[in-house]
């Protein structure tokens, strides 16, 4: 049965990196028999400019109907002074919450070819393979009440609410335990249970949920320590499960261990397996339109889509091998460039991956 992919390039480098991912999808359609249809729509600042909303109704309707969404990036300086309610980021947050994409999988894998690109010593990061499971539709990102109010003395006060229901913690913990079973069987739950009641409950529910997964090893860590351990000895981690905001922060940190945030894909899944796939880097307005951005995180997001939603693990494997092969050949976009390598543009990198895909198919 034909599956539908909604493609949302978004802002900044989004258009360019999505262009390369589309080449990969088209190659899989033409040469590997992938049975998908792609449709494009607007999201983020670009959507705001054209339609007055970062998440127009027709985009949301298409996303709900699609089997999978492929997103580039949202945001940029141009929209920074808009009210929060219509900022490009609201487009992304709206998609996450409207589609119920509560489970955000952010793998941080160091390609051996890029060991030199990390700012950490090679022996600290070589062989790194962490999966961060970030809760994505709750916590302080969505908690009510929120806002800025004026106090009696005229001073303004900003406030947000960190809130988690037991059921929200339980379902994300289950995802983490399930994933750990397919990996190295270890989960570290990250919280701030020494200070925040909400995450004390988090720890409690993760521990309870663990009773049905007693074959998996569970540990708990405070978020400040986790940040330190990630740069001190990152290989101690297998799966990390954490709240929306802690996951946002720790996943950027973990990304840099791998040399460049330009390499890391992500999947956001709901209860039915429908998913949104996006690189974890942002819209990088400083290099937008210059054919410099690294398209590999987006191409690897297509690979995750093939694995988690489209049920084509072999094709995913082919993408992963093609990416590895272009790195073996010494091709590097600027963000992962090091001496002696061959610097390539966004388009050249995409073309090289496509060429490998075709080669692997012969
Ligand atoms: C991410 C991003 C988003 C987030 C922004 C763009 C809203 O940083 O996906 O990590 O904070 O979740
Ligand atoms: Mg982030």
């Amino acid at each position: 049965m034909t599956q539908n992919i909604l493609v949302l390039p978004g802002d900044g480098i989004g258009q360019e990196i999505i262009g390369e991912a589309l080449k990969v999808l088209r190659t899989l359609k033409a040469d590997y028999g992938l049975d998908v249809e792609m449709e494009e729509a607007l999201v983020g600042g670009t959507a705001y400019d054209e339609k007055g909303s970062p998440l127009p109704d027709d985009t949301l309707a298409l996303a709900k109907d699609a089997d999978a969404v492929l997103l580039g990036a949202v945001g940029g300086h141009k929209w920074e002074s808009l009210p929060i309610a219509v900022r490009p980021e609201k487009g992304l947050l709206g998609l996450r919450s409207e589609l119920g994409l509560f489970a955000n999988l952010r793998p941080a894998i160091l390609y051996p070819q890029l060991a030199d690109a990390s700012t950490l010593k090679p022996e600290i990061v070589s062989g790194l393979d962490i999966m961060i499971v970030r809760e994505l539709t709750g916590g302080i990102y969505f908690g009510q009440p929120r806002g800025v109010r004026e106090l009696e003395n005229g001073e303004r006060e900003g406030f947000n609410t960190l809130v988690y229901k037991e059921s929200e913690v339980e379902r994300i913990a289950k995802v983490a335990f399930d994933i750990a079973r397919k990996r190295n069987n270890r989960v570290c739950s990250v919280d701030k249970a020494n200070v925040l009641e909400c995450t004390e409950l988090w720890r409690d529910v993760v521990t309870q949920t663990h009773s049905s997964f007693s074959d998996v090893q569970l540990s708990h860590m405070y978020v400040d320590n986790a940040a330190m351990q990630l740069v001190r000895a990152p290989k101690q981690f297998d799966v990390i499960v954490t709240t929306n905001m802690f996951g946002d922060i720790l996943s950027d940190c973990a990304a840099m261990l791998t040399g460049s945030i330009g390499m890391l894909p992500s999947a956001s899944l709901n209860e039915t397996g429908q998913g949104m796939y996006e690189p974890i880097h942002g819209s990088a307005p400083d290099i937008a339109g210059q054919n410099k951005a690294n398209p590999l995180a987006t191409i690897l997001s297509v690979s995750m889509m093939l694995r988690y939603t489209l049920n084509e693990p072999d094709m995913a494997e082919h993408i992963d091998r093609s990416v590895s092969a272009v790195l073996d050949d010494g091709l590097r976009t600027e963000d992962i460039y090091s001496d002696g390598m061959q610097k390539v543009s966004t388009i050249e990198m995409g073309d090289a991956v496509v060429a490998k895909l075709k080669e692997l198919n012969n």
Side-chain angles (χ1 to χ4, degrees):
M1 206 182 64
T2 308
Q3 305 195 78
N4 293 308
I5 304 175
L6 179 66
V7 180
L8 302 172
D11 310 322
I13 58 171
Q15 202 79 41
E16 298 159 69
I17 53 176
I18 286 286
E20 301 315 303
L22 282 174
K23 281 186 200 164
V24 166
L25 277 167
R26 288 193 201 106
T27 307
L28 293 175
K29 271 187 83 165
D31 297 7
Y32 287 72
L34 177 65
D35 190 8
V36 293
E37 290 303 332
M38 283 97 77
E39 187 167 4
E40 267 191 49
L42 296 170
V43 75
T46 323
Y48 175 80
D49 287 348
E50 281 199 30
K51 302 200 159 178
S53 160
L55 181 56
D57 292 343
D58 54 338
T59 299
L60 180 58
L62 286 168
K64 284 186 170 161
D65 277 351
D67 295 291
V69 178
L70 180 66
L71 184 129
V74 297
H77 307 310
K78 184 177 170 196
W79 303 285
E80 268 163 19
S81 53
L82 287 175
I84 279 199
V86 290
R87 287 242 190 104
E89 289 77 4
K90 274 284 167 191
L92 180 58
L93 296 171
L95 281 168
R96 288 174 181 170
S97 105
E98 291 283 337
L99 300 182
L101 304 168
F102 71 95
N104 184 213
L105 315 186
R106 298 191 161 190
I109 295 171
L110 181 83
Y111 283 82
Q113 302 93 324
L114 299 182
D116 286 342
S118 175
T119 44
L120 275 80
K121 294 191 192 104
E123 64 266 28
I124 302 287
V125 290
S126 69
L128 184 83
D129 182 354
I130 299 177
M131 176 67 91
I132 297 189
V133 178
R134 169 188 177 193
E135 199 293 323
L136 202 61
T137 51
I140 199 165
Y141 269 54
F142 293 95
Q144 295 288 349
R146 62 193 294 154
V148 178
R149 60 192 161 213
E150 199 170 311
L151 301 177
E152 271 171 20
N153 68 0
E155 189 186 3
R156 286 179 308 152
E157 178 180 67
F159 56 100
N160 288 90
T161 305
L162 172 61
V163 54
Y164 271 113
K165 288 201 283 270
E166 288 182 298
S167 53
E168 290 176 293
V169 181
E170 188 185 341
R171 68 179 180 179
I172 194 72
K174 281 183 175 162
V175 170
F177 291 131
D178 271 332
I179 289 178
R181 278 183 171 163
K182 296 181 199 127
R183 295 171 46 99
N184 294 315
N185 237 14
R186 287 185 290 121
V187 171
C188 177
S189 170
V190 172
D191 60 42
K192 189 71 186 170
N194 51 344
V195 178
L196 304 172
E197 289 82 353
C198 179
T199 68
E200 199 183 8
L201 176 78
W202 174 282
R203 185 176 285 219
D204 202 42
V205 176
V206 170
T207 305
Q208 268 172 32
T209 310
H210 179 238
S211 60
S212 330
F213 296 85
S214 46
D215 53 308
V216 179
Q217 192 188 318
L218 171 66
S219 61
H220 302 275
M221 204 180 270
Y222 298 139
V223 63
D224 47 351
N225 187 22
M228 181 175 80
Q229 296 300 335
L230 266 177
V231 287
R232 193 187 74 84
K235 283 186 270 180
Q236 68 185 282
F237 296 108
D238 178 21
V239 175
I240 292 178
V241 63
T242 190
T243 64
N244 202 341
M245 187 159 76
F246 294 163
D248 177 46
I249 300 167
L250 294 180
S251 62
D252 268 30
C253 180
M256 263 330 278
L257 303 173
T258 71
S260 171
I261 199 167
M263 291 296 299
L264 298 189
S266 76
S268 306
L269 306 172
N270 65 17
E271 311 259 15
T272 69
Q274 189 193 21
M276 180 159 82
Y277 298 83
E278 51 176 317
I280 84 156
H281 60 68
S283 58
D286 51 319
I287 58 162
Q290 298 175 36
N291 193 19
K292 276 187 185 171
N294 185 347
L296 293 180
T298 317
I299 290 173
L300 290 167
S301 299
V302 173
S303 161
M304 288 191 92
M305 176 188 290
L306 290 160
R307 260 200 193 95
Y308 290 98
T309 298
L310 304 180
N311 202 16
E312 295 286 0
D314 291 345
M315 293 188 205
E317 185 62 35
H318 276 84
I319 292 185
D320 297 352
R321 280 170 53 198
S322 301
V323 167
S324 203
V326 300
L327 295 175
D328 281 340
D329 287 350
L331 304 193
R332 302 284 187 272
T333 42
E334 213 167 273
D335 58 312
I336 50 174
Y337 179 76
S338 60
D339 280 350
M341 298 293 128
Q342 184 189 341
K343 201 178 280 185
V344 295
S345 68
T346 309
I347 293 175
E348 286 165 335
M349 187 60 108
D351 287 345
V353 173
V354 165
K356 291 289 179 199
L357 266 178
K358 287 181 183 283
E359 233 176 85
L360 284 177
N361 194 35
N362 288 328

